Amino acid sequence: MTETTTCSTAWYARPAARAWRCAPAPAGIAAFHAGLLGYRPTPLREIPCLADELGVGRVFVKDESDRFGLAAFKALGVSWAVHLLLSRHRNGDADRPRSHHEPPYADREPPRTGAPLWLVTATDGNHGRAVARTARQCGVRARVFVAEGVHPRAVAAIEAEGAEVVRVAGSYDTAVSLAEKAAGEPDSALVQDMAWPGYEEVPGWIVDGCSTLFAETDTQVREAGSGPAGLVVVPTGVGSLAQAAVTHYRSRPSGPVPATLTVEADGAACVLASLAAGRPVTVETGRTALAGLNCGTVSSLAWPVLRDGLDAAVAVGDADAARAARDLAAHGVSAGPCGAASLAGARAALGGVGAPDRRAALGVGPGTAVVLLCTEGTAANPHGVPGPAPAPV
C-alpha cells in the first residue's frame, strides 16, 4: 500500500547505484521484433551544439517518433507482451520466443477457446494506441480506458485503430483501476505497463520488450565512432522504461556502466518522491502537457530496480519541455513534450546553480557521451507542439 503525498524535491542522486548489478532481459526479444512487419531500428541522431551547451563530449538523441508506424516507443513492449499472452492462451507456449524466420503474428487465426477476445488497458496516450494497434494486428479487440487530460487527437488515434475507448473523468491511476475491473470480465485480459502486487507478469513482459531499444542504441553509438554512453536520460512515468534502462545497463558482464537519469513532470514525480522518501509513495497529479508522464504511482516491479540501481532523478516543468521540443525540432527531431523532457532534464541536471555537484554525482565530464531518449514524436502528443523555431542568432 502506498501513501499519497506531494513532491517538492526536484533532484535526487545515489552515486552508489553504479555498483548495483542485476540479471539481463531474456534472449530472443530483438530477433522477435526484427521479424515483425515494418521493423527497423529508429534513428540515433547526433546534435553537436547540444554537446557544447551541456559541456559534454557528444550528445545523441534516440528518436522514437516513428516506431512501427506509431509516434512513440510503446509498441516494443506491447508487441512482445501480447505475443506471449496470446501464445499462452492459444498454445500454452508463452515461454517460447518466436523465431526470426516465423511470419509476424503468425498466430492471428481466430482465438481458440480460452483465448482473450478483448485486450484491456488504461492509458495517458501512447500505450493505449500501441495496445489498440497490436490487438488489431492479432485479430482481437481492444478496450482502452483513457485518463483525463489526454489530447483529443491522441484519443481519436486510438479510436482509429478500432479500439473501444472509455473516457475516464479522473487521473491515470483511476483509469488503471477501472481497466483492472473490466479485465475481470469473461474473455478479457489486462495489458498494463504498470505493475502492482498480484499483477506483475504482463508488465514484466512489457519491460523486457523495451530491451530492443537499448540494444539498438548500443550498436548505433558504437557505429557513430563513440565510446560507450556515459549518461542515458529517460523520460519517466510509472518507471517501466526506466526499469528497462537500468536492467540493460546494470546487467552488463563487463565494461563501463553509464549513469541513468530519469526525468519526470514536476507535478507527477512519483519516482522522485518515492526515492526521496525511501519507499513507494503516490503523488497527487494535475494537468500537464507531459501527458504520458502524468502518473501518480510507481510500478511495483520498477520500484526495487530504481531504488537500488538508478543514479539520479530530476523533475521538469511544461515550459522547460516546450523549449526543449522547439530546440529539437530545429535540429530535425520531432519531439512531443514527453520525448523532449529528456533534453529538459539533462539541462536541469548538468547546468545552473549546483551543477558541479550534480555532474559529479552522475560522473559526467567534458568527454562524456550522452544519450537522450526522445520517446514520442509530436503526432503522439499534440500538447505543446512546437511552432517554428526562432532564427539562430
Side-chain angles (χ1 to χ4, degrees), residues 63-143:
D63 181 355
E64 291 291 314
S65 63
D66 184 8
R67 174 69 76 173
F68 291 119
L70 300 179
F73 75 98
K74 294 283 190 175
L76 286 173
V78 169
S79 61
W80 176 246
V82 170
H83 162 62
L84 294 181
L85 183 66
L86 294 183
S87 293
R88 168 172 291 174
H89 279 268
R90 293 170 174 172
N91 309 315
D93 63 351
D95 294 328
R96 178 187 67 85
R98 183 190 305 280
S99 163
H100 175 84
H101 302 291
E102 290 182 74
Y105 296 116
D107 50 355
R108 281 185 293 176
E109 75 276 4
R112 301 175 185 175
T113 301
L117 299 178
W118 288 94
L119 301 181
V120 181
T121 196
T123 190
D124 44 21
N126 297 327
H127 173 75
R129 189 177 182 194
V131 171
R133 169 71 64 89
T134 305
R136 179 168 61 80
Q137 291 174 329
C138 292
V140 297
R141 291 173 286 180
R143 180 176 292 125

Side-chain angles (χ1 to χ4, degrees), residues 276-356:
R279 62 190 182 282
V281 296
T282 293
V283 300
E284 295 183 6
T285 61
R287 286 189 174 272
T288 174
L290 284 75
L293 309 185
N294 197 18
C295 307
T297 305
V298 64
S299 169
S300 65
L301 267 182
W303 167 244
V305 175
L306 301 182
R307 177 196 63 206
D308 296 339
L310 179 66
D311 296 88
V314 69
V316 299
D318 286 7
D320 297 321
R323 175 195 166 207
R326 289 192 297 270
D327 292 344
L328 289 170
H331 294 285
V333 177
S334 172
C338 299
S342 57
L343 173 55
R347 284 169 163 164
L350 302 181
V353 176

Side-chain angles (χ1 to χ4, degrees), residues 335-380:
C338 299
S342 57
L343 173 55
R347 284 169 163 164
L350 302 181
V353 176
D357 289 342
R358 293 191 296 271
R359 295 172 74 95
L362 292 167
V364 170
T368 301
V370 175
V371 173
L372 309 176
L373 301 189
C374 184
T375 51
E376 67 174 11
T378 55

